[in-house]
Amino acid sequence: MSNHHPTMQAAVVETVEGPFVLEEIPRPVPGKGEVLVRVHASGINPLDLKIRAGKADHARHSLPAVLGIDLAGVVEAVGADVSGFAQGDEVFGMTGGVGGIQGSLAQYAVVDASLLAHKPAALDMREAASIPLAFITAWEGLVDRARVAKDMRVLVHGGAGGVGYMSIQIARAMGAQVYSTVSAADFDLIKDRGATPIDRHKESVEAYVDTHTGGRGFDLVVDTVGGEVLDASFKAIARFGHVVSALGWGTHALAPLSFRGGTYSGVFTLLPLLTGEGRAHHGHILREAARLVDTGKLVARVDTTPFGLATVGDAYQHVGSAKNAGKVVVNLFGAK
């Protein structure tokens, strides 16, 4: 019997802010409840840049490591006790790159099958890899916490960003009236998704609450930025309104929220990956994403610049420069 273990290429970050080094590492083997995915595309999230910079203790991903939280690919092998996935299935998910779990910047990844969903036919691999973290974060805030519903007035801060763009589409799919603070350059982008743009550089909270709600406030405000934007969110809700934030990590005055009888919910999307708890719910949310894609209610926004395993460093730089138009995605295995 041969002792040879199959290997794969991976982009490894060895030190804080260090380069991505192409290394041959052992190809992982799927255990119970896991599948081996041949990675076709890896989506880059702002969190990935923070992990590489050593500024994301909450992600618990110490270096050296393979980064990459989101992937799309094809099931190569199936471990014991896996139902619902077979070799050759096209899948997508938020599968690692935190908590010491190997990320998607490698040719293969072993993934907890409960985190995955089947890739909708209407999306290519790049589009599918751009969706998971942003969509799951938006869904947990809008649907799980705030119960977004028909005719609610929803304000999304940063609607041109990853989570914001998904939030607009989920809220619209649920029949809400959606408004979003963006830069003037992004007005058309969010109008195309059915939201009313608000110039974040020009209008004060009081001004846009007056203009768009007659001074009443919004039923639901989604904060994707944190800091001052979360403070502004507390001022923008109607009585008994709800604020959800994916970056509510600061120290904030609660009086504006309390005097409106408002509710606040924090969203920490990494919990299922870090703790093992609630992973199947992430798979469920991605099936909802696929359903919205199939009904034409969800579109991905992917930056067209091509990157591969050898140019991951350039891809990260592109995200960091904020010159990207949509999610930056790295191609593996010549993904189209």
Side-chain angles (χ1 to χ4, degrees), residues 64-139:
V66 175
L67 305 188
I69 295 168
D70 289 336
L71 64 69
V74 177
V75 175
E76 182 86 1
V78 176
D81 296 344
V82 171
S83 58
F85 295 102
Q87 189 179 4
D89 284 358
E90 297 190 333
V91 293
F92 71 130
M94 174 184 163
T95 58
V98 298
I101 304 165
Q102 182 211 302
S104 54
L105 287 171
Q107 291 176 313
Y108 295 89
V110 155
V111 173
D112 180 336
S114 63
L115 291 165
L116 290 172
H118 290 95
K119 177 183 81 62
L123 296 180
D124 65 24
M125 289 289 185
R126 288 172 59 79
E127 290 170 324
S130 78
I131 285 177
L133 172 63
F135 186 90
I136 291 168
T137 303
W139 185 276

Side-chain angles (χ1 to χ4, degrees), residues 275-310:
T275 64
E277 201 178 320
R279 288 185 176 181
H281 184 52
H282 276 193
H284 164 76
I285 292 171
L286 289 175
R287 288 191 290 280
E288 294 290 339
R291 196 174 54 78
L292 291 181
V293 167
D294 289 338
T295 56
K297 289 179 178 164
L298 181 71
V299 298
R301 182 171 174 246
V302 181
D303 186 272
T304 54
T305 321
F307 297 101
L309 259 189

Side-chain angles (χ1 to χ4, degrees), residues 34-270:
E34 295 177 328
V35 297
L36 178 69
V37 176
R38 181 175 167 131
V39 183
H40 281 240
S42 168
I44 301 177
N45 291 285
L47 175 58
D48 294 307
L49 276 66
K50 288 181 189 159
I51 294 171
R52 183 194 185 193
K55 293 175 182 161
D57 289 347
H58 62 283
R60 300 182 212 158
H61 202 57
S62 48
L63 305 177
V66 175
L67 305 188
I69 295 168
D70 289 336
L71 64 69
V74 177
V75 175
E76 182 86 1
V78 176
D81 296 344
V82 171
S83 58
F85 295 102
Q87 189 179 4
D89 284 358
E90 297 190 333
V91 293
F92 71 130
M94 174 184 163
T95 58
V98 298
I101 304 165
Q102 182 211 302
S104 54
L105 287 171
Q107 291 176 313
Y108 295 89
V110 155
V111 173
D112 180 336
S114 63
L115 291 165
L116 290 172
H118 290 95
K119 177 183 81 62
L123 296 180
D124 65 24
M125 289 289 185
R126 288 172 59 79
E127 290 170 324
S130 78
I131 285 177
L133 172 63
F135 186 90
I136 291 168
T137 303
W139 185 276
E140 287 188 345
L142 285 151
V143 181
D144 295 343
R145 311 281 196 279
R147 309 253 180 266
V148 65
K150 193 172 177 330
D151 297 330
M152 266 188 187
R153 281 187 186 153
V154 177
L155 174 66
V156 176
H157 286 299
V163 176
Y165 196 65
M166 294 293 161
S167 297
I168 288 172
Q169 297 183 78
I170 292 169
R172 288 290 296 139
M174 300 296 180
Q177 299 171 36
V178 186
Y179 305 82
S180 182
T181 55
V182 286
S183 299
D186 291 318
F187 273 22
D188 288 344
L189 176 74
I190 65 154
K191 276 184 191 165
D192 286 347
R193 300 274 68 78
T196 301
I198 295 167
D199 191 329
R200 67 186 177 94
H201 298 295
K202 287 196 176 148
E203 287 196 70
S204 67
V205 179
E206 294 75 18
Y208 61 69
V209 165
D210 257 5
T211 305
H212 299 293
T213 73
R216 201 180 73 85
F218 297 90
D219 303 305
L220 166 56
V221 179
V222 180
D223 161 42
T224 66
V225 184
E228 289 173 9
V229 175
L230 181 50
D231 289 321
S233 301
F234 290 159
K235 291 179 185 160
I237 50 164
R239 285 183 189 151
F240 313 117
H242 199 133
V243 174
V244 292
S245 178
L247 287 169
W249 303 339
T251 305
H252 295 267
L254 292 178
L257 179 77
S258 299
F259 285 134
R260 289 169 175 84
T263 312
Y264 168 77
S265 298
V267 175
F268 187 40
T269 319
L270 303 184

